[in-house]
Amino acid sequence: AQTVTQSQPEMSVQEAETVTLSCTYDTSENNYYLFWYKQPPSRQMILVIRQEAYKQQNATENRFSVNFQKAAKSFSLKISDSQLGDTAMYFCAFMNRNTDKLIFGTGTRLQVFP
Amino acid sequence: GAVVSQHPSWVICKSGTSVKIECRSLDFQATTMFWYRQFPKQSLMLMATSNEGSKATYEQGVEKDKFLINHASLTLSTLTVTSAHPEDSSFYICSAPGTANTEAFFGQGTRLTVV
């Protein structure tokens, strides 16, 4: 069974600064995707970034980038130039490509303050 | 991106009654949909996989008779909470894989309160 662990229940960062959210996972699968989802107070799940396990290159989406260490089963999210609108819950998630099921970590509550 | 619409966004019901939640893929077909439950300040827990034209598959510990799932068409899955009790109060979210199966698209969620 796959597990996803987020060891930081809460994080805070000053506007314009950089913050890194941690995520580790455990799986015996080789074919999978990893995601970071953002859940603002509206509770709508918003995809932040996706990483295919077979790709060595770290995914990047504007101010968001990941550090994917496959051997270590680590998948951290870096948010650069943090904005007030980044305040939200962030969930790391694992998708088994054979089942398309998403397994979520426990989440990290990020607060960006002025 | 693909759109998944969930309805209602919130519902209050009396204990002992049943509540139906709908999840629709608006601009794509979904042979599979997923139902999650989220308690306050907690993560999303997968409840079941809804399969078009066949029975849903439930995660361990989820009561099949309590949470009835029907996937009647390629664009609609429903979750019925039967004989609801206050402990069933929660936030329920559905999702569907996109056509390329490279990500999940989520409904807006339904906040269920059983009084």
Side-chain angles (χ1 to χ4, degrees), chain B residues 32-102:
Chain B
T32 301
M33 291 185 177
F34 300 97
W35 287 95
Y36 296 85
R37 183 174 183 175
Q38 185 180 30
F39 289 106
K41 297 185 179 181
Q42 294 191 24
S43 186
L44 283 73
M45 299 301 297
L46 180 64
M47 298 174 64
T49 303
S50 174
N51 304 297
E52 190 269 336
S54 64
K55 292 182 179 180
T57 54
Y58 291 80
E59 297 299 304
Q60 191 172 7
V62 177
E63 299 177 59
K64 301 178 181 181
D65 296 331
K66 160 68 79 175
F67 300 101
L68 298 180
I69 290 173
N70 183 29
H71 199 137
S73 73
L74 288 171
T75 59
L76 174 64
S77 174
T78 60
L79 168 67
T80 301
V81 183
T82 63
S83 186
H85 291 285
E87 57 265 31
D88 299 324
S89 298
S90 189
F91 192 68
Y92 294 87
I93 311 176
C94 68
S95 76
T99 50
N101 287 9
T102 56

Side-chain angles (χ1 to χ4, degrees), chain A residues 75-94:
Chain A
F75 183 61
S76 61
L77 173 70
K78 185 172 79 171
I79 305 174
S80 304
D81 186 25
S82 296
Q83 300 176 0
L84 297 178
D86 295 334
T87 293
M89 280 291 291
Y90 286 82
F91 291 100
C92 178
F94 173 100

Side-chain angles (χ1 to χ4, degrees), chain A residues 18-30:
Chain A
T18 295
V19 64
T20 298
L21 307 185
S22 301
C23 174
T24 58
Y25 61 96
D26 190 23
T27 185
S28 58
E29 299 288 334
N30 263 321

